[in-house]
Amino acid sequence: GLRTPIFFRWKGKIKPARDERTLVSSLDIAPTILSAAGRKAPAGWPGIDIRDTKKRAARKTLFGANFMHTSADLARPAANLKYRWTVRGNWKLIVPYGPNLAQPIWEGRPETAWGREIELYDISADPGETKNVAAGNPATVKELTGALDRWWTP
């Protein structure tokens, strides 16, 4: 989730700090814990040690994807994909994955309940994401969609 607090507490290993502006991800949890324990994350693992202020400051964009609750095919993540998203600066872009829009969210719940339009939010001005501003910002949508496609094109 976005805007989900991440807390670490380990006396003598993790210095108390609070940062409400820097982009972090749940993918950062394992590298942070491993580093605090004196270990390195395996090569190629996503995420950073969020205790490292330089790495946090260097991160400008986060990417993610949301999947159906009931997996259609574990070997092909795109078969389960509902949408991809990115956050950069004040912008959050959500791009639905067309081929799966008709798939139910999970077994026993036939509704699809997922957005069908590209959504763009200024999360500083609209933290509740109540006003989709994609139509008024086509250049931003194009730029962020390109970044999202470079990260992962299903």
Side-chain angles (χ1 to χ4, degrees):
L2 297 174
R3 290 189 242 27
T4 303
I6 297 177
F7 296 90
F8 292 98
R9 182 176 179 197
W10 189 357
K11 192 173 183 176
K13 293 285 186 177
I14 298 176
K15 181 181 171 185
R18 182 177 181 144
D19 181 348
E20 297 177 2
R21 304 290 300 159
T22 306
L23 294 172
V24 297
S25 166
S26 59
L27 296 175
D28 299 330
I29 294 172
T32 301
I33 291 171
L34 286 169
S35 180
R39 303 285 186 202
K40 287 187 177 186
W45 266 29
I48 62 171
D49 176 357
I50 62 174
R51 299 174 310 145
D52 186 326
T53 56
K54 288 181 182 177
K55 285 184 181 178
R56 283 196 335 256
R59 179 183 272 163
K60 302 299 181 205
T61 307
L62 278 181
F63 299 98
N66 288 66
F67 300 89
M68 292 178 280
H69 184 274
T70 304
S71 295
D73 185 342
L74 291 175
R76 291 183 316 109
N80 314 303
L81 181 64
K82 278 305 214 175
Y83 58 88
R84 298 171 301 146
W85 57 265
T86 185
V87 175
R88 179 185 294 165
N90 294 335
W91 297 112
K92 176 182 174 186
L93 179 76
I94 303 169
V95 178
Y97 185 57
N100 293 343
L101 289 177
Q103 300 249 4
I105 295 173
W106 56 75
E107 284 183 33
R109 305 275 313 262
E111 70 272 7
T112 55
W114 295 79
R116 295 182 174 277
E117 303 295 323
I118 289 177
E119 299 173 51
L120 179 69
Y121 299 99
D122 180 340
I123 55 177
S124 288
D126 179 18
E129 300 171 19
T130 61
K131 185 177 180 192
N132 181 359
V133 296
N137 295 279
T140 301
V141 168
K142 182 177 181 180
E143 176 188 343
L144 293 177
T145 300
L148 198 54
D149 288 345
R150 287 186 295 279
W151 170 69
W152 180 38
T153 301

